[in-house]
Amino acid sequence: MGAGGSHEEELRAEEIAELVKLSGFRKREIEKLYLRFRKLDRGGKGFVMRAELLKIPELTMNPLCKRIMNHFGGEDKDRMNFTEFVQYLSTFNKQASRNEKAQALFEVFDRDEDGYISSKELLEILKSMVTENIEDIRLKSMVAMIIKEADVDRDGKLSFDEFRSCLDGNRLEKVLTLSPWEE
């Protein structure tokens, strides 16, 4: 099978159709992704190491890429077959809904997987996203302001609905959408 098999195999029409349905990518995009995947799968093993994926420029430009990559994946967190590769990248697809992107982002922020984003989790994410040297006190102040503004039920943490409502649609689209796939 091309989607999970060796490097030399081609994708079959039914595999492409299933991946289109699963991911929201168009047929041509799946084909381009497969070519990219095959280039990354140098030994023809049918999988790529996650570290290799971090070499893709479109992914490395995204400050949340490593966090999102750690969140997604199959049984083996160190490698990814083609189907997992497409599922991972579907989060960044321009066709992915705002709600799907918000849910994926929420799950990345919710490190302890308790269904809420705490001040501590939000602070950790902000620290990983800022490229300039911002003092901790300033970041903590930003977190307190975000929680105060978005925490409708005043429990000191953000539920998914609270998180989603505070996201600016344009910013979410910029953070979680990659440019068209180039070979």
Side-chain angles (χ1 to χ4, degrees), residues 10-183:
E10 295 297 322
L11 287 173
R12 296 186 319 254
E14 59 270 11
E15 290 174 314
I16 293 173
E18 183 63 30
L19 290 169
V20 165
K21 193 168 98 176
L22 177 73
S23 69
F25 286 116
R26 291 186 216 98
K27 179 182 184 278
R28 182 70 186 132
E29 291 170 319
I30 296 289
E31 291 167 346
K32 283 183 177 183
L33 287 173
Y34 191 62
L35 291 174
R36 174 68 64 95
F37 182 83
R38 286 178 58 177
K39 285 180 184 178
L40 291 169
D41 181 15
R42 296 183 186 190
K45 308 169 296 286
F47 62 85
V48 294
M49 302 305 291
R50 289 178 189 273
E52 293 170 310
L53 294 176
L54 294 174
K55 295 178 184 174
I56 298 174
E58 295 92 344
L59 296 179
T60 58
M61 292 186 316
N62 188 310
L64 295 176
C65 177
K66 287 181 185 176
R67 297 290 305 256
I68 293 169
M69 191 173 293
N70 287 336
H71 179 73
F72 287 97
E75 293 177 18
D76 188 342
K77 293 284 187 184
D78 291 327
R79 62 187 197 179
M80 187 181 287
N81 67 30
F82 183 65
T83 300
E84 292 167 335
F85 180 71
V86 170
Q87 287 174 312
Y88 164 69
L89 293 175
S90 69
T91 301
F92 299 102
N93 185 348
K94 63 185 173 188
Q95 275 84 344
S97 74
R98 183 176 188 275
N99 196 57
E100 290 170 315
K101 290 180 182 196
Q103 183 65 47
L105 192 57
F106 180 82
E107 290 171 4
V108 168
F109 278 48
D110 180 18
R111 293 186 66 165
D112 62 7
E113 300 177 358
D114 67 350
Y116 297 94
I117 299 172
S118 67
S119 295
K120 180 181 175 188
E121 290 167 324
L122 189 55
L123 181 61
E124 288 172 9
I125 291 292
L126 287 178
K127 283 181 180 181
S128 72
M129 290 178 64
V130 293
T131 55
E132 48 195 70
N133 196 8
I134 298 178
E135 295 176 9
D136 268 5
I137 190 77
R138 187 156 178 226
L139 286 175
K140 287 178 182 176
S141 174
M142 290 171 61
V143 166
M145 184 179 74
I146 292 168
I147 296 288
K148 181 180 178 186
E149 299 268 328
D151 183 18
V152 175
D153 63 8
R154 302 291 177 231
D155 62 356
K157 54 192 174 190
L158 301 181
S159 67
F160 173 68
D161 289 335
E162 291 168 332
F163 176 76
R164 184 182 54 204
S165 69
C166 76
L167 291 174
D168 172 55
N170 292 332
R171 284 188 183 269
L172 181 62
E173 295 304 316
K174 288 178 185 173
V175 169
L176 287 180
T177 302
L178 295 177
S179 59
W181 303 102
E182 301 297 326
E183 294 180 36

